[in-house]
Amino acid sequence: MTSLYLDHLATLRRQAEAALERSGHDALLIASGIEKYAFLDDRPYLFQPNPHFKHWLPLPQHPHCWLAVRPGRKPRVVYYQPDDYWHVPPSAPGGEWVEAVELVVIREPEDAAQALADLVTPRAAILAEADAALPGLVPNNPEALLNLLHWARGVKTPYELAQLRAASRRAAPAHIAAREAFLAGASEAEIHRAYLVASGHTDRDLPYGNIVGLNEHAAVLHYQYQDQARPAESRSFLIDAGAQVNGYASDITRTWVASGHAEFADLIAAMEGAQLGLVDEVREGVDYRDIHLSAHRRTARVLREAGIVAMGEEAMVAEGVTKPFFPHGIGHLLGLQVHDVGGFMASETGGVADKPEGHRYLRLTRPLQAGMVVTIEPGLYFIPTLLKQLRASPQAALVDWARVERLARYGGIRIEDDVVCRAGGEAPENLTRDAFAALG
């Protein structure tokens, strides 16, 4: 792993130095971020690091630190390690990153200004939120530089791919534990706790809040609650949950059904086949927007073959009939952030690659490059507010509403894998399926 990390650091240095030259800057200063406190309270919110900082350093829980990139020299890391007896302070700097940097340890956050004073010039680029500012260190976040860095971040280094594989391996056994809890009749809250135990996570360090929905709750795309009470009957279960390793996330969704519910089980199987077909479309040079549109065509086929909508597939897509059943995008970039940056960029210098007309929730509109990691997450849902709109449309007569009402008791289906695009038309690497397969 040491050589992978050092190679990763060398890649970031080359990218940063080239971006500095092109944007007219002579140094890059990156703040990790600060702890933020609730209004009129002394309790901090969960710390979320600047993703530009953790791109360089595996320090996702370290506020008040800084990184300085100077062409031709080692990066400088200003490491905040307070002398604190109220909380456990960060441990002494250690790990493979230490040997690759010039290290300065500070005891107070404001000491960072002095530690970086020699680099603060009118041509310094300072990447941070406004509240990270210190005397002489005021974030300017130059757009031209950020565009170059965000574009490059779309392609992962071998070190980053290793972290993303590990994040999938951390999440997979937790998904199995959640499924077993569901089949045993557990409540949403109990299923969530089973996931945490199996993943080794707490709520504080998950990459995002778990979506744990039983029955009709699976129709709420970002269902945010977890009922303590067990339902009278556990028919179906949707879980969207990931894990995190060194600041890199996995993002996995599975849908399960209890025994004795064959109609919904058949629908899950059909969506599983559609999802795997979409995964196979992740190839170098493919426009991700085309995969999204392909997802609608595949969803239309499932709807037709299941007898839910009596229309041809192309007509169903053209007339927008698939949208009430599949109202979100097919996926997004994945990496340091669950919804990683740069998904809408037209080129490395900026601009916007438009979404397909009428598909406003798609989060990635770039052609795929080797080394990109994307999610593929088609869904088929029975969402009351969207079904109401479909009932009022001219196509309503072509919908089997009795079947829709039966299936609505299950909420919906989403199946999501994390997928690596490979070079030269090679089949993609499915991080999620590989992690489940490793469990036996």
Side-chain angles (χ1 to χ4, degrees), residues 60-73:
Q61 299 178 16
H62 291 67
H64 305 294
C65 296
W66 288 77
L67 169 76
V69 181
R70 307 157 294 173
R73 302 176 64 182

Side-chain angles (χ1 to χ4, degrees), residues 31-350:
S32 67
I34 70 168
E35 283 193 313
K36 304 175 190 293
Y37 288 81
F39 182 56
L40 298 179
D41 208 334
D42 61 357
R43 295 180 300 110
Y45 293 113
L46 178 65
F47 175 66
Q48 296 291 338
N50 179 349
H52 288 281
F53 181 84
K54 65 175 181 172
H55 198 191
W56 291 75
L57 301 165
L59 302 175
Q61 299 178 16
H62 291 67
H64 305 294
C65 296
W66 288 77
L67 169 76
V69 181
R70 307 157 294 173
R73 302 176 64 182
K74 278 186 175 182
R76 181 185 299 171
V77 174
V78 179
Y79 187 88
Y80 174 59
Q81 188 186 28
D83 186 7
D84 187 359
Y85 57 85
W86 287 99
H87 308 94
V88 176
S91 58
E96 53 201 356
W97 64 270
V98 173
E99 297 301 318
V101 304
E102 174 191 313
L103 183 65
V104 180
V105 177
I106 59 174
R107 302 301 181 193
E108 300 293 340
E110 55 268 24
D111 292 344
Q114 181 60 39
L116 297 169
D118 60 314
L119 302 178
V120 180
T121 72
R123 284 163 46 89
I126 304 175
L127 306 188
E129 291 183 89
D131 56 15
L134 293 170
L137 279 173
V138 179
N140 54 14
N141 298 310
E143 183 178 4
L145 178 69
L146 283 173
N147 283 336
L148 294 167
L149 296 179
H150 286 169
W151 180 268
R153 219 173 87 192
V155 174
K156 304 300 183 280
T157 66
Y159 165 80
E160 292 181 287
L161 292 177
Q163 308 315 302
L164 290 162
R165 292 186 189 103
S168 286
R169 291 195 300 270
R170 186 174 185 180
H175 274 266
I176 299 301
R179 181 193 66 186
E180 295 305 314
F182 156 66
L183 294 174
S187 70
E188 291 169 351
E190 290 169 332
I191 293 170
H192 173 66
R193 287 195 286 270
Y195 184 95
L196 293 178
V197 170
S199 67
H201 273 300
T202 69
D203 280 304
R204 288 185 57 83
D205 57 10
L206 287 169
Y208 58 96
N210 284 353
I211 298 170
V212 180
L214 293 173
N215 302 334
E216 290 89 349
H217 290 165
V220 183
L221 299 184
H222 285 174
Y223 176 62
Q224 70 272 42
Y225 302 115
Q226 292 157 6
D227 280 354
Q228 295 285 346
R230 297 183 175 188
E233 180 188 21
S234 289
R235 297 180 292 273
S236 58
F237 168 49
L238 185 151
I239 178 168
D240 187 334
Q244 192 162 216
V245 172
N246 289 329
Y248 290 84
S250 56
D251 183 4
I252 300 170
T253 307
R254 288 294 182 268
T255 306
W256 307 102
V257 64
S259 62
H261 298 271
E263 185 176 25
F264 193 66
D266 289 345
L267 200 59
I268 292 175
M271 286 302 296
E272 178 96 2
Q275 193 265 354
L276 289 172
L278 291 163
V279 167
D280 195 55
E281 295 182 28
V282 176
R283 305 291 173 125
E284 185 178 26
V286 170
D287 191 321
Y288 192 79
R289 293 172 291 194
D290 291 339
I291 298 178
H292 174 75
L293 296 175
S294 175
H296 276 271
R297 291 190 292 272
R298 291 177 184 269
T299 300
R301 185 178 310 144
V302 171
L303 290 168
R304 181 181 60 78
E305 292 179 350
I308 297 171
V309 182
M311 290 180 68
E313 294 157 22
E314 292 298 331
M316 213 184 301
V317 174
E319 296 176 32
V321 176
T322 54
K323 291 180 184 178
F325 297 99
F326 174 37
H328 58 76
I330 188 57
H332 48 82
L333 289 171
L334 178 71
L336 292 162
Q337 296 168 274
V338 177
H339 300 148
D340 223 354
V341 297
F344 303 123
M345 296 181 68
S347 73
E348 64 179 356
T349 57

Side-chain angles (χ1 to χ4, degrees), residues 307-392:
I308 297 171
V309 182
M311 290 180 68
E313 294 157 22
E314 292 298 331
M316 213 184 301
V317 174
E319 296 176 32
V321 176
T322 54
K323 291 180 184 178
F325 297 99
F326 174 37
H328 58 76
I330 188 57
H332 48 82
L333 289 171
L334 178 71
L336 292 162
Q337 296 168 274
V338 177
H339 300 148
D340 223 354
V341 297
F344 303 123
M345 296 181 68
S347 73
E348 64 179 356
T349 57
V352 175
D354 292 332
K355 303 171 187 179
E357 186 177 354
H359 296 265
R360 59 177 174 161
Y361 295 116
L362 183 59
R363 290 190 171 102
L364 175 57
T365 56
R366 285 169 59 175
L368 295 177
Q369 297 171 261
M372 280 184 170
V373 180
V374 299
T375 65
I376 297 294
E377 47 182 306
L380 197 162
Y381 312 89
F382 302 93
I383 301 171
T385 186
L386 300 182
L387 292 175
K388 182 179 179 180
Q389 295 172 24
L390 183 59
R391 277 185 181 272

